[in-house]
Structures are given as C-alpha cells and as structure tokens.
Amino acid sequence: MDPVEDPVRFIDERTAAAPLLRKTMRYLFPDHWSFLLGEVALYSFIVLIATGIYLALFFDDSTAKTVYHGPYVPLDGQTMSAAYKSVVDISFSVPAGLLIRQTHHWAADVFVAAMVIHLMRVFFTGAFRKPRELTWIIGLLLLFTALLEGYLGYSLVDDLLSGMGLQIGNGVGLSIPIIGGPLMLLLFGSRFPPGGPHFWGRMYIAHVLLFPLLLATLIGVHLMLIMARHHTQFRESRRHTQRRIIGVPLFPGQTPRSLALMFYVAAILFLLGGLVQINPIWQWGPFEPWLATNGAQPDWYLGWLIGALRLMPSFDVTVGHFTLIPNPFWGGVLFPGVVLMVLATFPWVEARLTGDRRVHNLADRPRDAPTRTAFGVAFLSWIFLIFAFGAADRILVLWGLSYNLQLYIFRIAIWVVPPILFFGVRRMCRELQAGDRVEEIREHAEDQAEEHQRSLARAGPGTAR
Amino acid sequence: MLFGGLSIVAIAQAQPSSGIVRPTTEPATPSVQLGSQLFAANCSSCHGIDGKGISAPRAGAGDIMGMGPPLRGVGALAPDFYLRTGFMPLSSIHDEPGNDRVLFSDKEIKSLVAFVASLGPGPGIPQPDPKAGSLSEGMQLFTLHCAGCHQEDGEGGFVTGARVPPLQGLTATEIAEAVRIGPYLMPKFPASQISNAQLNSIIKFVQSLKNHDDNRGGWRIGNIGPIPEGLVTWWIAVPLLIIACLAVGRRFRRQ
Amino acid sequence: MKIWKWIVTLLTLLFGRLMRRGGSVEDAEERIVPAGTPERRAENLVLVLLMLAVLAGIAFIVVYAIYPHADQPNELLGLCLGLCLALIGGALTVVAKRLVVTEELEDDYPDVHPQAQREIAEIVHESGSRITRKKLLIGAGAAAGGTLGLAALTPALSLGPLWDTAPLDMTPWRPGVALVDENGNKMPASDVVGGTFYSAFAEGVDPEDIASELVVIRLDPDKLKLPNGRADWAPDGILAYSKICTHAGCAIGLYRNPLFPDLEPKPALVCPCHYSTFDPYTGASVIYGPAGRPLPQLPLMIDGAGYLRANGNFSARVGPAWWNVREKPTYGTNE
C-alpha cells in the first residue's frame, strides 16, 4: 500500500515503462547555472501555450470590417477589422484579458531571448560538437521557427504597427529573385493587403496550431537527443572526464530546482505582463495600407532585419528591364540566410578546419578555444551592429545624433569592428590560457613544496636533509 | 526715423549670437515700440530691417551670419508660435529650430508679435476649442496627416534631414498655429484641408497624449513600441532570469 | 515476510520520525538515495512561503472579482499572480537546497554501439538476397515516391494564383477615373494648395487596393523637371504619385515642405519605414534611402467641372519590386 509504488506498478504492468523511468529518474545534470538557460526557454514556451490558449478563446481571426463601440473613446466609431476589435476588447473589456495578452507577448520576447543566450552558451562551450550536431541543428530550427511564429502572432492583431510589418514582409518576400512575385501571391492569396477571406485564417491556423505543433515536436526531439547523449559538462575536477559524467540526478535533486525555475520564469513573465505595458495596440489604431506611422519597428528579434534593410544603399539589380534582385533582398533575405547558414554549418566547418572529429563530452571554457570564441564574438558583433542601426532614428530623436552620420558610421563599423574584435578576443583568450598555465605551474610547485614539508615533519627533527 | 536710428544703434551694439539684447529699461506693458526695439536688436540680422528678409547670407552684428525669410504679411500667427515655442531666435541660420528654450518674456513676446503683425496684414492668433472636438475623429485625422512624421503617439521622429519634435505638453494654440504655419519642414495645412472643427479634434487628441491615461498596461516605456520592449527584455527580464538560474543552479554544497 | 512488511508499514505510519531515527527495516537494507539530516527551519520557511503564495493567489481572485470589467487594474493583477508564482518558486528553491538530498553522482557517458551498427547494416544487406536489379528498383521507387510527393503538394497551388502574376501588374487607373479623398469626395483642383500633401484614391475602387492610393501635392510648375513625356502630367503643378513605397511597400506618410527653401532641405516625399526619400520635382526619383526605383507617377487632368481625374495609367507598376515590376502597368482591379 505504498502511495508511490502502487501507481508505478499499475503503469509498469501496462507499459513496461519502469526500467525507463528508473533510468530517467537518475539522469545526471551538470551542476552549473548556464545549463539552465535552455530550460528558461522551455518554460517561456509553456507560458506561451497556456496564455495563448486563453487568448485563442477570445480572438476573432476575421478581417470583416466592423465599427468599434466600446470603452476606449479614441477608437469609438472607427472602422476596423474584427480581428483588431477582438484584441481591443481583450485589452479593455475582458477582465484580466490585458494581463494574459501582455504576458503572452512578453513570453514571446523572452522565449527568443532565452534561446539566443542558450545558443551562445552552447556555442562558446563547444557543446555543438560531435555527437551533438543534430541537437544544434534542431535548436537553430527552433530559433528560426520561433522568429516566424512570433511575427505571425503579433501580425494577427492587424494594428497599424504590425500591419506595416506585414506589408514589409510581403515586400521582402517579393524581392526573392524570380519567384518572389508568384510566391507572395501564393502565400497571401492576392496582392497585399490580403483581401480574400483566407489569408488571415491561414495565418491564424499557422500561429495557433501548425507552428506550435512544430515547435513542440522539435523541442521533444531536442530533449530526447540531449538525454540520449547526455549533457556536456565542464571539467571542474579530475573526475569529470570524457567518459564519466558527474552531476545531480533528475530525481530528487534536480526536480525541485527545475520546478522552481519554471515558477520563477512564469513569475517574471506575469510580473512583466502586469507591470510593464507592451504593444498597446489601441494606441496604434487599426491598419490600413495607405496609413503609416513614424518609428514603426518589428519586435526586437526581427530588429536585425530592419537595420539591414535601412543600411542598404539604393539599387535594384536589373537585367534588361527584368528586375533580378530588388533591393530588400540583401537585408531581408540574404542577410538572415547567411546567418542561418553560418550557424548551421559551423559544427562541420570547425571540425574540418581543426581536423578534430572526436567525440566531445567536456565543455570548453571559452578561452580554451580562442579561434572559435573570437569568431563567435566577431560574428555576433556583426549582427549586433546591424541590429543597432535599426534604432538610429530613435537615437536621433533622443540624443540629436544625425541619422545620416550614423548611417555612414555604421556602414563602416559593421565591416571594421568584427575583424578587430576577432583578433582582439583571440589574443585575449590566448593570454588567459597562458595565465592559467602559469597558475597551474605555481600550484603544482606549491603542492610539491607542501608535500616536501610534510614528509620532513613525518621523518622527525634532526633528520638530514 | 527714430525706430531706424534705434535699430542701427542696436545692431552696432549687438551681443554675440547666444545672448538677447534688450533695452535697459522696458515699459511695463507690451507695445509695438518695444517690439520694434527687440526686433531690431535680435531679429533683423536675419530677417532684415522691418522684416523685409535677407536672401543671401550676410554678416550681421557680432558674429552672426544672417539670412532669413521676410516677415511682412505673416500676421500675429507666426511670431506668436515661433517665440512661444522657442523655435526662434536661432543661434545659427543652419540650425534646425528646436523647442527647447524660450528666450523672451511674455511681455516681450506680445510686443514682438504686435510689431511683426504691424508689418503687414496677416493671419491672427487662432482660437481653437479642443473641447468641441472628438477624440476619435482626432485620432483618425492625426494618423492620416501627422503620424507619419510625429509618430502615432506624438513621440516625435525622423524625416530625412531633420528631427521631428515630440508633441507632449503643447498648448492648443501652439498646435493650431503649427498646423496653419507649417514650421520648418512641416506641411502647412489650410482650412480647406483641415477645417477648424477638425483641428479642434486633432488638438483634443494631441493633448490627450500628454496625460497618457490610456497606458493601462503598466509602465508606458516610451509609447514607441518594440525598441523599449526589447530593452526591457534584455536589461530587465534576462538579468532576472539569469539570477533565477544562479539561485537555483548554483554549485551544491556537500551534505 | 509479507505480514512483517505490513506490520512495519503500520508502525512506521504510526510512529513516523521515531521509527526513522530509531532505525527501521529500511536502514538495514542499502539506501539508493542517501539519508539527509532533517531541517525543520527549512520546512517552516517552505510553509511560510507557501502560505504567502496562498494569500497572493487569493488576492488575485479577489481583485479580479471586485473590480468592474472595464477597469481591471492590470498592475495589481500581475503583481498578485506574479508574486504567487514567485513564492511557490521560492518554496521549491528551499526544498531543493535544504530539504532534498542533492547527490553528486557519477555515471558513464553512453557508448557507441559498433556491434549493433554492424548488425543493422548486415540485416538490411542480407535481406536483399532476392533482389537482382537493386538500382533499377530503387530508381523506380524514387520516381514513384517523388511523383507522389509532387502530386500531394499540387493542391497547395490552390492557395492562390501561382504563375499568373497579373494581380501585381494591375492598377485601377485609366483616363477619366476621378480622384476622391479619404471620405470618398471628388477633389476640385482648386482645393489642392501648395505646401501640404493630400491622400487620394480612385473613385469607386476599394481604398485598400494599394494601386488606388495616391499622394497628391501642388508645386510651382516652373520648377518641375519631370522625365520626358510627362510635360502635361501635372496640370497647374498638381502632381500625383503612388503612395506605396517602391522599396518594401509602406505608405509614404511624410512630406517635407520647407518654409524657407533657401536654407532648408527641399521638398520630398519620405517613407517612414526605411526612409526612402523621393524628389517630387523630378518624377519622385530616389534621393536618399534604399528604394531602387522612383514612385510611379499618375498623369492628371482637370475636368470641365474642375475636378481632378487621371489622364492615363501610372508610369510604372506599383509597390515593392518583383521580377516584372519594370513593365507597364495593366488596367484592372483585384476583386
């Protein structure tokens, strides 16, 4: 009559799962905080699902025009889509609706941010190396799917800001050489704005069903791959080796910690959802293709693209009077494509360049791989500088720094700063390594001296040296 | 003759561009005469004697290179706007007018306005009535005509070559004046395009932006959308989350 | 044995801690999870945190209930719920650190399995003993599978028009189509004054049709330097350009109108998305920003009653560029 053993027996008799459960319960987690960043992303995803389900019960995915008559006076009498109106209603007329909506949006922003810092931890510790290359690829797929999913999510609202973003997305899609036009017509069902009844419903189904399923499946595969090969670990002592992992078992040690983290993540997201306003769509107003606002921006995780689009000088690549490569292609398609390709091929490129095809279960400290760390920093700085330029107009408004001057500074900086950082960081890593070696030698000498003293003491006084 | 003489004397003794030249004793009430003196001393080096304009840069008193449009026929509308917002005087003819400092007192402004209005017939100071307007109509008109430059929440922005100022804290008169003048690079909206009734609605909407009553989501973080949202994500949420990871995942102590 | 276990279980349940301290059957067997010292203070802390969490949760429910629908205090709701979650997290953290034995264990990294790998390959190879023309069969299978895949994808073409990019080429403008403002009223040319900018649309057409959307301004006709063939496109200096930016499609919502042109940047139509800037004097050619082609211009005429009408179709196709954007626009609406 054990309250634990009885249900377990019940399940095992019907599923033969007890050995698997027993093994999983004692799966070892490396005990370093940086291994929890992936979990932060996972828990943000769970909050997204929970809040998303709630919102889906109130959202109307119809683009049919309706007139608003509700508590928010500036919108009173305005014509808008039913989709937009339903979100204004969620924000003003559904009790706790605004809290859930804002939490959902914060969770999306944090979800991507968590994935990015998790990616950085994996990259800078070399955890993407054999045998974990597939896990890395799945992670990249997760990241880029999440970008698209978030974009669809906030575009569903049909407010002025996100409508402009959708307009631009259409323009960027059109810029794909040769096939852009037909492709966008296929996706949107007509020229922008999508006039037919289908597009919004498709976007909705993609956002609430197809992509969440894809994300959940990829997360599942990602976790299974991790458990199959086990986490990497830092070499914290001599006992941590390529063959032996040292860590905290899933149960009982890790479970309350992970659960605590889940509650902390949810707490932070709900606190943000309550205390910090995000995407006040009632202030943006409904979208119409002939309207625009200054200072329109995509959500932060697409900011790298607006920076790239703004940096480009004016030219279309034409062949006769065919437009082969319209201007948005470079910043909107090629740039993210290059980033994805570099990240995706990195495990194999590094293996090739270093000639190292061994299995790696020990995590590097960043300094232990100077070239990789330097490349990572340089690559990230390239992306970051492009991203930063996307806010140049607001920097002008805030601090008076000329937009044109920023344009020229950034056009140079994005090519000059990364190489400087590459060489600088690589040098720094090597210096740190050299310092470590000196430390090691010193410690070893001290140990030897101590040992010598102890052996003298044991031998007793008066012993000849 | 007397005004001209005073003007010449004033120009000859004008201080460097950052200072305002005033008569040592000013009358207690605003007057065209005071306006004329102030104009001669502070404005004529760019706007010409009696506001007839200077069409090519010309060295004025002190270290001022002067050039400016004529002010005959601008009425009371323009000087009232430019002086009350601090757009004028400019330190340099190449500066973009900014509304960060007002250099004249109310009496002086009234005097200058009276003087410039006396140079030729022109529009008077508008008398808007925002209470008669509709917030909803105002929001729609603002979105169509103004948000492209001033941003949907009046937080200002960028138009190629110039900074567009934010709109919080403006009086109804200032807003009405700006719409009708089209200062610096702003379009000049006539009554045939934005009627006085519509202008009342726009003013009502713009003034509602000041109070930010409708920031019911919490801390408004600037009302410009995703940039501050990204900053909160990376500078508040991420550090808190890292602290949470540290709290939960720190190296265990042996038990 | 079973009865003994029953007795022990019963006694354990009755005497709880006493039994544990005093020694029980479990002590005699080897433990999997090592025993740890009890920490009542940690337990008390956990209880306190959980009690506070209960209060925070109740507070959330109360706040939700007592405030009217349209006036729910977002901050208060978020604070209550967030605190409740944080407190539970705190309780779990105390459990993790002080009430649960955190073991430091060792285990092997999983092996590779060359034996199993070989056997799998062997099974597959040996299974093909009856096949004589492997490559041919595989080729045929691939062809069938590939064709099936294509067939399965084909209905996706029903999502929208595919090779027919005609919807992108169309505009609703031809000679005689009247311009209307945002309220649907026709636009007298005399109402269009210089110094400001107007939004206009094609009469009778859905205003959301991006090829219907115009920006209309009046400039000094003597200063116009329009491209060849457009000498009569701007009656009295009134110009109409597409309001949709040729870069990525945002509405051209900015108009630069210098009050003192000698010292200020010249008039320009500007897009707020990436700041493509177009010179209306020269047919909206690009003078700043990333747009790769000018805004299409619409030839205007003033009809007998003084209203503005189109005098032809746009000079070029509307909107962001695609393969065929540089051909002449066709007439039609995307209904």
Side-chain angles (χ1 to χ4, degrees), chain B residues 140-214:
Chain B
Q140 291 176 80
L141 289 168
F142 185 85
T143 307
L144 180 63
H145 297 301
C146 323
C149 284
H150 283 285
Q151 200 263 344
E152 186 69 27
D153 269 333
E155 295 288 341
F158 172 63
V159 68
T160 316
R163 176 183 175 277
V164 181
L167 300 177
Q168 285 75 26
L170 293 170
T171 66
T173 314
E174 284 167 346
I175 299 169
E177 288 169 339
V179 169
R180 295 295 182 220
I181 295 170
Y184 196 54
L185 289 174
M186 184 168 150
K188 179 185 162 121
F189 299 94
S192 58
Q193 186 181 18
I194 299 180
S195 69
N196 285 332
Q198 289 175 320
L199 185 50
N200 285 334
S201 293
I202 292 178
I203 293 171
K204 185 170 190 176
F205 174 74
V206 171
Q207 292 197 305
S208 77
L209 298 171
K210 170 178 61 183
N211 294 324
H212 291 292
D213 291 336
D214 59 355

Side-chain angles (χ1 to χ4, degrees), chain B residues 17-206:
Chain B
S17 50
S18 52
I20 295 292
V21 178
R22 328 181 129 82
T24 38
T25 50
E26 281 188 5
T29 53
S31 68
V32 174
Q33 185 182 18
L34 174 60
S36 162
Q37 290 174 318
L38 291 168
F39 187 92
N42 299 289
C43 317
S44 54
S45 47
C46 288
H47 287 290
I49 300 191
D50 287 346
K52 65 178 186 221
I54 298 178
S55 54
R58 193 180 74 192
D63 51 8
I64 305 166
M65 281 297 277
M67 180 176 170
L71 297 182
R72 299 201 175 152
V74 299
L77 173 68
D80 185 67
F81 173 75
Y82 278 99
L83 294 171
R84 289 207 183 280
T85 54
F87 277 16
M88 285 289 147
L90 278 182
S91 307
S92 147
I93 60 174
H94 298 294
D95 277 355
E96 191 185 321
N99 54 351
D100 38 78
R101 82 279 186 273
V102 178
L103 295 178
F104 291 105
S105 71
D106 183 64
K107 176 183 64 180
E108 290 169 338
I109 291 176
K110 288 197 167 92
S111 306
L112 280 164
V113 169
F115 172 70
V116 172
S118 73
L119 295 174
I125 296 175
Q127 315 274 328
D129 181 18
K131 288 200 201 60
S134 140
L135 266 183
S136 165
E137 185 192 28
M139 181 178 173
Q140 291 176 80
L141 289 168
F142 185 85
T143 307
L144 180 63
H145 297 301
C146 323
C149 284
H150 283 285
Q151 200 263 344
E152 186 69 27
D153 269 333
E155 295 288 341
F158 172 63
V159 68
T160 316
R163 176 183 175 277
V164 181
L167 300 177
Q168 285 75 26
L170 293 170
T171 66
T173 314
E174 284 167 346
I175 299 169
E177 288 169 339
V179 169
R180 295 295 182 220
I181 295 170
Y184 196 54
L185 289 174
M186 184 168 150
K188 179 185 162 121
F189 299 94
S192 58
Q193 186 181 18
I194 299 180
S195 69
N196 285 332
Q198 289 175 320
L199 185 50
N200 285 334
S201 293
I202 292 178
I203 293 171
K204 185 170 190 176
F205 174 74
V206 171

Side-chain angles (χ1 to χ4, degrees), chain A residues 178-228:
Chain A
I178 302 171
I179 61 167
L183 188 62
M184 288 303 107
L185 281 174
L186 193 66
L187 272 178
F188 282 79
S190 72
R191 176 167 64 187
F192 190 89
H198 298 301
F199 178 75
W200 227 255
R202 289 175 194 167
M203 201 162 56
Y204 187 51
I205 277 295
H207 181 75
V208 304
L209 180 68
L210 301 176
F211 281 114
L213 274 181
L214 178 61
L215 286 166
T217 309
L218 287 173
I219 290 174
V221 175
H222 194 74
L223 292 174
M224 284 194 316
L225 281 174
I226 293 169
M227 292 198 89

Side-chain angles (χ1 to χ4, degrees), chain A residues 49-96:
Chain A
I49 298 289
T51 52
I53 290 174
Y54 183 88
L55 291 173
L57 299 174
F58 292 94
F59 179 73
D60 182 354
D61 68 321
S62 156
T63 52
K65 292 291 183 206
T66 176
V67 176
Y68 178 78
H69 293 296
Y72 186 61
V73 177
L75 287 177
D76 191 58
Q78 286 200 39
T79 306
M80 56 186 61
S81 63
Y84 180 75
K85 176 169 179 303
S86 72
V87 182
V88 176
D89 285 340
I90 288 173
S91 306
F92 281 82
S93 309
V94 172

